[in-house]
Amino acid sequence: MSEASDEHFLRAWAERSDETAFCALVGRYAVFIYGAALRRVGDAALAEEITQDVFAQLSQNAARLAEHHALSGWLHRPTMLIALDRLRHRRRYEGRVENFLQMITPSANPLAEALPHLDEALDQLASRDREVLVLHFFDRLTFPEIATRLGGSADAARMRSNRALSTRSPRAPHRCAKMA
């Protein structure tokens, strides 16, 4: 007795939702797909997810794939594409986590010592001065953009920023203080 073909199983699944036929395809190709995914991503749990996603695509495309001459060749392609997508997603996620950690973790940066005092200093400013500084340094708006948002001119926003910064910056001792 000859073994049923991929075409037979795909048609049975596509036409009658024959779970036995689909399980036969899973049994035939799960190790192949999982192995390819694992080699690509290097993570067993992620390779399992990719394998499931590939079988979901196979399920959705069964009728069309019944005419495909080499199902293993077709299965390899979505395995690699899904793996690549997951790796990109992981890199983006890890990059966002790294950026977040850099924002909250003090470093050798001299400004790191000043960060704990930043909110306190901003709270001591007049409301309008605080708004200008936050818009400029945190939202990275230009002075013309700040002027548009808050009203007034770009020069006025720049002057407000300079005044706010000069009132909060430590000053050198006055010359006369040394003589006294």
Side-chain angles (χ1 to χ4, degrees):
M1 184 170 131
S2 67
E3 189 175 325
S5 68
D6 292 340
E7 179 184 352
H8 169 78
F9 291 136
L10 287 167
R11 287 192 191 289
W13 173 250
E15 295 169 2
R16 300 184 309 277
S17 298
D18 182 342
E19 289 185 25
T20 304
F22 194 77
C23 287
L25 289 169
V26 170
R28 189 174 282 180
Y29 290 104
V31 171
F32 169 72
I33 295 168
Y34 174 80
L38 184 60
R39 287 188 303 277
R40 177 61 69 145
V41 299
D43 179 324
L46 187 55
E48 286 178 17
E49 289 178 26
I50 292 166
T51 302
Q52 290 175 3
D53 289 346
V54 171
F55 280 116
Q57 285 189 10
L58 176 64
S59 173
Q60 294 167 353
N61 294 294
R64 183 175 59 82
L65 291 172
E67 302 299 322
H68 206 280
H69 297 293
L71 184 59
S72 58
W74 183 89
L75 290 168
H76 188 266
R77 185 72 178 149
T79 302
M80 294 298 104
L81 292 174
I82 293 170
L84 181 61
D85 183 61
R86 295 295 170 82
L87 288 174
R88 284 182 189 143
H89 178 71
R90 178 187 284 174
R91 278 189 226 114
R92 282 192 307 267
Y93 173 77
E94 289 171 351
R96 286 191 301 264
V97 168
E98 180 64 28
N99 287 341
F100 176 73
L101 290 175
Q102 287 177 0
M103 288 179 0
I104 64 171
T105 305
S107 65
N109 184 342
L111 294 177
E113 294 176 20
L115 288 177
H117 308 288
L118 180 61
D119 290 324
E120 181 182 331
L122 284 170
D123 285 343
Q124 294 175 7
L125 292 173
S127 172
R128 196 67 160 185
D129 293 346
R130 181 175 44 252
E131 289 172 349
V132 169
L133 288 180
V134 169
L135 289 172
H136 184 63
F137 290 104
F138 295 102
D139 293 342
R140 300 192 185 273
L141 296 182
T142 64
F143 290 116
E145 291 169 329
I146 294 169
T148 300
R149 174 122 11 130
L150 299 179
S153 70
D155 288 336
R158 183 177 291 107
M159 288 173 44
R160 187 173 287 280
S161 172
N162 289 338
R163 185 181 63 234
L165 290 171
S166 68
T167 62
R168 298 301 346 147
S169 63
R171 293 192 178 113
H174 194 276
R175 288 185 199 177
C176 294
K178 289 185 180 179
M179 292 185 200

